[in-house]
């Protein structure tokens, strides 16, 4: 009998047969989910035998929900995710115009999924534009609910825009009628919960450095405050476990298990990530900078199409492929299921089944290393065996099965 995951006293309680919802999504979504599911199930079975099994069940969203006469993101879907705590989703199309909000944005807001987590690492065999792609191995925590990117905007010439313009004029900032206005909000509580998530991840995963990324030199009240509030949190809540870089004496090193929290101005961070990638471990960034950084870093390791992601709140998480619905290749066996599969691995790790999570990543790395790839990664390269979506999934299942039965499975 499957049961729901619970969340008590700040901890997830995961039964051996958790009921976990999935949203296959639109376009290539259903085919990448069909490819991902057996890989995840095989990893769980190989790690834990019959003791553990995920009872997946489908929730409607996107085109499928519209066709049933429902909303793009039905209320019942949001409620079911909240109730089951963890979900995985494929890409969903956003109808253009007509007041439709992106499902992802709506989900993040409804469930307060305040941190977007994106691990970025290199997989041997993948073509990369840099000389030493393996030197970059980071996890980006991007604030998900605030910043100019949260969408508080007023069009030029609109009545609302004129009212905001008048309020700004009263503060001495003249705004002409032909100006669109976007408002940037960064709060202390929003910053602290994001930075806390990044530090907690670092502590749990043996990472030693968390870097706050900001443009505080220019936007002092928002991005500068992000930096200040991040350091404030370190001093208040992590004494003895983490240290704020400004508090170090000149030449002082951080030793032992202590995490160094430092900061970098965003433009310099983009340079340094290319020039000195090994200096970075965990990044914590406001929404817009985090958005740019996530794709730039994924591109650096050649992994833009396979980067996994998760949107995380307190005791809640939605794991998702980071690409779109790719209508140009849907239904043709050309889709790379890597992003969905690696997102599934993050899900397994999140629910406390790291042995299964590792098997997924190891198998993925093994198949790519052997030169077997989907068409997007194989394009224009010599000596690569091109597999369709289903065959790539089969190769992973085989690789995991070959990795042998449960060894030192997690307690
Ligand atoms: P896209 O990511 O769907 O496609 C961009 C290009 O990348 C296309 O050439 C596509 O064939 C290729 N591509 C994407 N994923 C791939 C995969 N797994 N394997 C192989 N090739 C892949 O972005 P686009 O065209 O801007 O958006 C299409 C639709 O997807 C839109 O309706 C958009 O709103 C939606 N979208 C949804 C997202 C989500 O639900 N997380 C994220 C981004 C876009």
């Amino acid at each position: 009998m499957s049961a729901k995951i619970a969340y008590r006293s700040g901890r997830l309680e995961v039964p051996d047969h958790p009921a976990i919802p999935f949203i296959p999504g639109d376009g290539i979504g259903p085919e990448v989910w069909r490819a991902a599911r057996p890989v995840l199930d095989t990893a769980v079975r190989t790690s834990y035998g019959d003791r553990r099994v995920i009872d997946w069940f489908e929730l409607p969203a996107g085109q499928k929900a519209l066709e049933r006469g429902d909303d793009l993101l039905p209320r019942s879907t949001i409620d079911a995710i909240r109730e089951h705590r963890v979900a995985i989703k494929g890409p969903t199309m956003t109808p253009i115009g007509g007041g439709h909000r992106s499902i992802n944005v709506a989900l993040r807001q409804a469930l307060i999924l305040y941190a977007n987590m994106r691990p970025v690492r290199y997989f041997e065999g993948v073509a990369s534009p840099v000389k030493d792609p393996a030197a970059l191995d980071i996890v980006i925590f991007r604030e998900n609910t605030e910043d100019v990117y949260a969408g508080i905007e007023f069009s030029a010439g609109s009545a609302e825009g004129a009212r905001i313009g008048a309020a700004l004029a009263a503060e001495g900032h003249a705004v002409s009628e032909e100006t669109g206005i976007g408002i940037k909000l960064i709060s202390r509580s929003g910053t602290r919960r994001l930075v806390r998530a990044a530090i907690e991840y670092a502590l749990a995963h043996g990472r030693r450095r968390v870097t706050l990324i900001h443009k505080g030199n220019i936007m002092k009240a928002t991005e500068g405050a992000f930096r200040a509030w991040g350091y404030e949190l370190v001093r208040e809540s992590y004494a003895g476990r983490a240290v704020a870089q400004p508090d170090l004496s000149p030449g002082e090193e951080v030793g032992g298990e202590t995490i160094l929290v430092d900061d970098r101005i965003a433009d310099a961070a983009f340079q340094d990530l290319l020039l000195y990638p090994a200096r970075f471990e965990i990044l914590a960034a406001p929404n817009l900078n985090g958005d740019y950084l996530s794709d730039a870093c994924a591109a650096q390791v050649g992994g833009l199409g396979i980067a996994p992601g998760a949107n995380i709140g307190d005791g809640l998480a939605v794991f998702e492929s980071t690409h779109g619905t790719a209508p140009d290749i849907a239904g043709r066996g050309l889709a790379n299921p890597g992003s969905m599969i690696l997102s599934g691995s993050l899900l397994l790790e999140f629910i406390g089944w790291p042995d299964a999570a590792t098997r997924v990543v190891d198998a993925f790395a093994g198949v790519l290393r052997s030169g077997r790839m989907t068409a997007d990664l194989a394009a224009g390269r010599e000596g690569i065996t091109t597999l369709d979506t289903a065959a790539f999934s089969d190769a992973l299942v085989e690789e995991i099965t070959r990795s042998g039965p449960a060894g030192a499975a997690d307690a």
Side-chain angles (χ1 to χ4, degrees), residues 28 89 91-94 104 321 323-329 335-336 376:
I28 59 170
K89 93 173 256 307
T92 39
M93 61 105 195
T94 308
N104 291 323
S321 54
H323 52 73
T325 59
D328 51 333
I329 57 165
N336 185 339
D376 54 321

Side-chain angles (χ1 to χ4, degrees), residues 69-88:
D70 226 325
D71 292 338
L72 201 59
L73 177 61
R75 183 84 244 164
S76 57
T77 292
I78 298 176
D79 290 343
I81 296 176
R82 188 180 289 116
E83 214 179 297
H84 291 83
R85 305 242 150 234
V86 173
I88 187 163

Side-chain angles (χ1 to χ4, degrees), residues 26 28 32 89-96 102-104 108 305-306 320-330 334-340 374-377 389:
D26 303 316
I28 59 170
V32 294
K89 93 173 256 307
T92 39
M93 61 105 195
T94 308
I96 295 169
S102 137
I103 289 184
N104 291 323
R108 283 170 204 175
I306 53 174
E320 64 175 357
S321 54
T322 54
H323 52 73
T325 59
D328 51 333
I329 57 165
L334 294 172
N336 185 339
S339 178
M340 192 72 150
T374 44
D376 54 321
L377 295 182
T389 312

Side-chain angles (χ1 to χ4, degrees), residues 48-383:
Y48 314 113
D50 293 334
R51 183 161 69 88
R52 284 178 170 165
V53 60
I54 294 177
D55 179 20
W56 303 104
F57 68 98
E58 181 170 349
L59 292 176
Q63 189 69 39
K64 234 184 196 171
L66 282 185
E67 280 161 13
R68 285 171 28 155
D70 226 325
D71 292 338
L72 201 59
L73 177 61
R75 183 84 244 164
S76 57
T77 292
I78 298 176
D79 290 343
I81 296 176
R82 188 180 289 116
E83 214 179 297
H84 291 83
R85 305 242 150 234
V86 173
I88 187 163
K89 93 173 256 307
T92 39
M93 61 105 195
T94 308
I96 295 169
H100 283 292
R101 267 191 318 168
S102 137
I103 289 184
N104 291 323
V105 173
L107 263 181
R108 283 170 204 175
Q109 289 175 350
L111 298 173
I112 319 179
L113 305 173
Y114 55 81
N116 179 272
M117 179 176 84
R118 276 249 217 143
V120 180
R121 57 157 284 185
Y122 179 62
F123 287 100
E124 199 185 323
V126 173
S128 150
V130 301
K131 279 188 287 191
D132 183 15
L136 188 71
D137 182 3
I138 60 171
V139 182
I140 302 171
F141 282 81
R142 164 190 170 200
E143 207 289 324
N144 233 351
T145 63
E146 303 192 326
D147 205 353
V148 275
Y149 218 48
I152 306 178
E153 291 205 300
F154 304 92
S155 301
S158 67
E160 301 82 8
R163 283 198 292 276
I164 301 292
L168 288 171
E171 295 298 327
H173 304 285
V175 179
S176 77
E177 271 176 22
E178 44 117 52
T179 305
I181 300 173
I183 298 203
K184 181 177 179 80
L185 301 177
I186 292 190
S187 70
R188 179 170 179 266
S189 56
T191 299
R192 284 169 66 105
R193 66 187 180 185
L194 185 270
V195 175
R196 185 184 295 281
I199 295 175
E200 290 294 332
Y201 182 93
L203 286 167
H205 292 82
R207 301 280 194 140
R208 299 278 307 285
R209 188 173 198 155
V210 175
T211 305
L212 310 173
I213 311 284
H214 60 89
K215 278 293 280 183
N217 51 332
I218 307 295
M219 293 172 275
K220 298 183 196 306
T222 49
E223 304 247 337
F226 178 87
R227 171 184 181 273
W229 287 324
Y231 282 143
E232 174 195 83
L233 175 79
V234 175
R235 292 177 187 121
E236 276 180 23
S237 303
Y238 291 97
R241 291 186 290 163
V243 61
Q245 195 269 338
D247 300 345
L248 292 175
S249 331
E252 186 182 345
E253 298 272 317
V254 177
E257 305 282 291
T258 311
I259 291 171
L260 173 66
V261 180
D262 63 356
D263 73 280
R264 207 82 185 97
I265 293 186
D267 42 338
F270 275 94
Q271 282 184 50
D272 288 353
L273 279 155
L274 261 176
L275 298 173
Y276 316 107
R279 284 188 192 170
F280 296 90
E281 294 189 48
I282 308 290
L283 308 185
N287 204 336
L288 186 59
N289 285 329
D291 184 44
Y292 297 155
L293 272 169
S294 297
D295 277 13
C297 290
Q300 190 165 324
V301 297
L304 195 48
I306 53 174
N311 290 305
I312 301 176
D314 290 328
L316 275 172
V318 177
F319 297 82
E320 64 175 357
S321 54
T322 54
H323 52 73
T325 59
D328 51 333
I329 57 165
R332 295 164 55 199
L334 294 172
N336 185 339
S339 178
M340 192 72 150
I341 288 167
L342 295 175
S343 297
S345 165
L346 294 180
L347 182 156
L348 294 172
E349 193 182 303
F350 188 79
I351 64 171
W353 297 5
D355 189 83
T358 305
R359 281 179 198 271
V360 172
V361 177
D362 288 351
F364 189 73
V367 170
L368 293 182
R369 201 183 307 118
S370 72
R372 290 171 291 166
M373 298 176 193
T374 44
D376 54 321
L377 295 182
R381 300 184 58 200
E382 304 267 314

